[in-house]
Amino acid sequence: MSVEAIEREIKGHEAELEKLCRTIWENPEPGYREVIACESICSILKKEGFEVETGIGGISTAIRAVWGDGKPAIGFLAEYDSLPGLSQECVPYKKSAGKEYGHGCGHNLMGTACLGAVLGLRSEMIKKGTKGTIVYLGCPAEESMGGKLFLAREGVFHGLDCAISFHPMTVNRVTVGSSLAVNQFRLHFYGKSAHASADPQNGRSALDALELTNVGINYLREHVPSDVRIHYTITDGGKAPNIVPEYAAGLYFVRASSRENVDEVYRRVLKVAQGAALMTETELKADFLGGCYNKLHNKVLCELICECMKDTIQEPWSKEELKFAEEINRTVPGYYKKTVEKYQLSPNDQLHRGVLPLLTEGSMGSSDTGDVSWIVPTATFWTACMPLGTPGHSWQLTASVGSSIGFKGAMFAARSMALWGVRLLENPLILERAKAEFSEVTKNRPYRSPLPEGICPPVGH
Ligand SMILES: [Zn+2]
């Protein structure tokens, strides 16, 4: 039976996978600079006989590792970047590890789980003589929503027949609901400095331009589709009230449930900024920083991974893990209560077990996996890698994914993904159905990169 064989194979690699997971967690790296993670993953893939290439898409920390030959080609989407300000030790109370970055989204588990999955799938393919290609794709800088866009622009995903992406979560579940498409950008205004009291007529305030832009955006809100979200922060607003600011800048997100709506509102926000520059006689510069598509979950592939999770062995949580979880949950009573109620779990549960039914509910977040999902049929799923109350991007999350709780969740994901691959290869009809669904949904809506012409990855070769 594949389930037990996969379990045995991945168990055989558990010590090195645990070490990898810990190395990435202990060395949290920013997007595009995931050097340690990239090297650690590549060294295992090379040792295991994969054909490994880095630097794809112009990003030095991107990985493509291939094993097998022929069709279908199945892609496993790994990530390994971390977040600023979320340094935390592996303890159930807030204690910084003194680093600039931390794994507050659990991406240390993603590269590791995908590695376990490809090793599990490969062993089954060897045993059964199955044809097909496994493609491990290390995708940098998910948090800045750019990594996969550069890879997509280079055609990295176009040769795949399907793809899968696992993300750490509080519960084991699969959703066919979408996420939001987004554009992230910075607006810079350049004015003219002057004494704000003695010589105001000669000043041209860059801050005025920025504020007028924000006022304009807030009027624009009334006249955009209801799924649109616009958020901003002012990052530079001048130095002192008695000096007319010659430079001001802000960071902006425009999100919506479709790429089309993001493109349209982004165009209008730029017009608002141009209007503000005209009013204030300042110069505007807009920098596109990143963006992505909304997720298009392939129902056929999602149903298959849900079924595989149900058929995969789940290790029980230990007493220590449950105690750790209880302490974490106590720090976030509101989040804990909400999760327990939302999924109708027992009020005594601290960590999730079992698999929730397929959900249709979408997410208000964004991920560059969305871009992949518009290029090839893609499934995304979550496994329980943290206590039920854990909020996203939090110290509680960093602590949990550095513990055995996170690793157990990642190994459950690895076994489920390997089984998913085996079943796909053994039943070609499933992939045919997945492709038919994909063609139907994307008809007349081909993938167009959100990246403006000529833009390069922020850190490449
Ligand atoms: Zn994430």
Side-chain angles (χ1 to χ4, degrees):
M1 250 300 260
S2 295
V3 177
E4 286 81 15
I6 288 168
E7 161 88 6
R8 269 195 308 277
E9 177 68 20
I10 297 178
K11 260 266 178 275
H13 290 280
E14 207 163 273
E16 75 179 334
L17 290 172
E18 198 166 6
K19 190 169 163 240
L20 173 72
C21 190
R22 180 139 286 278
T23 302
I24 302 175
W25 187 82
E26 283 173 354
N27 297 281
E29 299 168 296
Y32 298 111
R33 284 186 274 145
E34 309 96 327
V35 179
I36 297 170
C38 176
E39 280 175 9
S40 310
I41 291 168
C42 286
S43 80
I44 300 178
L45 285 164
K46 278 181 197 156
K47 180 173 71 73
E48 292 295 332
F50 278 71
E51 231 172 84
V52 183
E53 195 187 344
T54 56
I56 51 169
I59 308 169
S60 53
T61 53
I63 307 167
R64 175 169 44 206
V66 179
W67 185 89
D69 64 285
K71 287 277 185 186
I74 304 181
F76 292 81
L77 309 176
E79 294 165 16
Y80 26 76
D81 57 331
S82 62
L83 288 158
L86 286 174
S87 175
Q88 165 70 25
E89 288 198 0
C90 188
V91 289
Y93 48 89
K94 196 168 193 276
K95 188 177 182 214
S96 169
K99 300 193 166 141
E100 216 184 311
Y101 280 72
H103 274 287
C105 203
H107 294 186
N108 61 311
L109 304 177
M110 294 169 77
T112 311
C114 284
L115 194 44
V118 298
L119 296 177
L121 172 58
R122 186 189 59 165
S123 76
E124 282 297 277
M125 287 172 72
I126 294 173
K127 215 180 299 164
K128 294 175 180 164
T130 323
K131 271 241 173 266
T133 306
I134 302 173
V135 188
Y136 180 105
L137 288 166
C139 309
E142 188 278 331
E143 295 295 354
S144 45
M145 270 160 260
K148 294 191 193 70
L149 274 75
F150 291 108
L151 301 184
R153 193 173 65 180
E154 295 291 308
V156 169
F157 306 110
H158 288 75
L160 300 175
D161 290 284
C162 63
I164 191 158
S165 162
F166 141 73
H167 199 290
M169 245 284 209
T170 51
V171 289
N172 300 307
R173 67 164 202 175
V174 183
T175 177
V176 287
S178 195
S179 58
L180 299 184
V182 68
N183 269 8
Q184 300 180 2
F185 51 102
R186 192 185 292 273
L187 298 178
H188 309 262
F189 288 96
Y190 301 90
K192 203 170 145 221
S193 179
H195 192 295
S197 185
D199 191 26
Q201 65 277 17
N202 284 317
R204 296 291 180 268
S205 170
L207 180 61
D208 286 357
L210 193 70
E211 287 191 279
L212 286 165
T213 299
N214 295 341
V215 169
I217 284 173
N218 292 330
Y219 275 91
L220 181 68
R221 282 187 206 280
E222 192 189 344
H223 305 287
V224 295
S226 54
D227 59 303
V228 171
R229 300 276 188 279
I230 311 173
H231 4 282
Y232 58 79
T233 54
I234 294 178
T235 53
D236 295 87
K239 302 276 183 247
N242 57 353
I243 309 168
V244 174
E246 63 176 351
Y247 173 71
L251 273 175
Y252 296 79
F253 279 27
V254 171
R255 299 193 208 237
S257 56
S258 72
R259 191 65 230 162
E260 290 86 351
N261 281 0
V262 168
D263 287 341
E264 173 59 11
V265 175
Y266 176 58
R267 186 186 66 79
R268 292 174 70 194
V269 167
L270 291 186
K271 276 193 163 181
V272 168
Q274 284 157 7
L278 190 66
M279 278 191 274
T280 52
E281 296 190 325
T282 56
E283 297 269 326
L284 163 71
K285 186 173 165 265
D287 272 345
F288 181 89
L289 301 174
C292 69
Y293 267 66
N294 54 308
K295 264 188 212 161
L296 191 64
H297 293 286
N298 188 278
K299 208 162 170 261
V300 172
L301 297 181
C302 285
E303 278 167 358
L304 180 64
I305 186 65
C306 193
E307 183 191 301
C308 292
M309 286 166 86
K310 286 179 186 159
D311 292 343
T312 295
I313 300 147
Q314 273 182 57
E315 271 191 73
W317 301 113
S318 70
K319 262 194 199 125
E320 295 73 29
E321 286 161 350
L322 289 166
K323 188 170 173 287
F324 183 95
E326 195 179 352
E327 286 178 45
I328 290 270
N329 285 331
R330 244 189 263 134
T331 67
V332 274
Y335 283 102
Y336 173 73
K337 191 167 171 269
K338 210 173 115 197
T339 310
V340 168
E341 282 172 3
K342 183 175 170 186
Y343 299 119
Q344 298 172 337
L345 306 173
S346 150
N348 296 319
D349 287 351
Q350 304 298 334
L351 286 159
H352 188 229
R353 264 186 78 71
V355 179
L356 292 170
L358 200 74
L359 295 174
T360 50
E361 175 208 23
S363 133
M364 298 310 278
S366 308
S367 164
D368 61 8
T369 305
D371 289 63
V372 184
S373 72
W374 282 83
I375 299 169
V376 287
T378 303
T380 308
F381 73 108
W382 294 266
T383 66
C385 297
M386 58 198 81
L388 289 168
T390 314
H393 294 190
S394 62
W395 68 260
Q396 289 90 344
L397 206 158
T398 309
S400 306
V401 298
S403 75
S404 60
I405 297 172
F407 185 67
K408 264 189 191 170
M411 289 302 97
F412 175 52
R415 294 193 292 273
S416 304
M417 275 192 279
L419 186 60
W420 177 86
V422 168
R423 288 187 178 166
L424 268 182
L425 293 175
E426 285 176 355
N427 307 287
L429 269 179
I430 302 177
L431 198 52
E432 266 177 45
R433 277 175 40 230
K435 286 184 170 184
E437 178 193 326
F438 179 79
S439 307
E440 182 62 33
V441 183
T442 56
K443 198 163 58 190
N444 305 323
R445 296 172 80 193
Y447 175 76
R448 278 195 198 89
S449 174
L451 294 171
E453 199 101 341
I455 191 169
C456 294
V459 180
H461 299 287

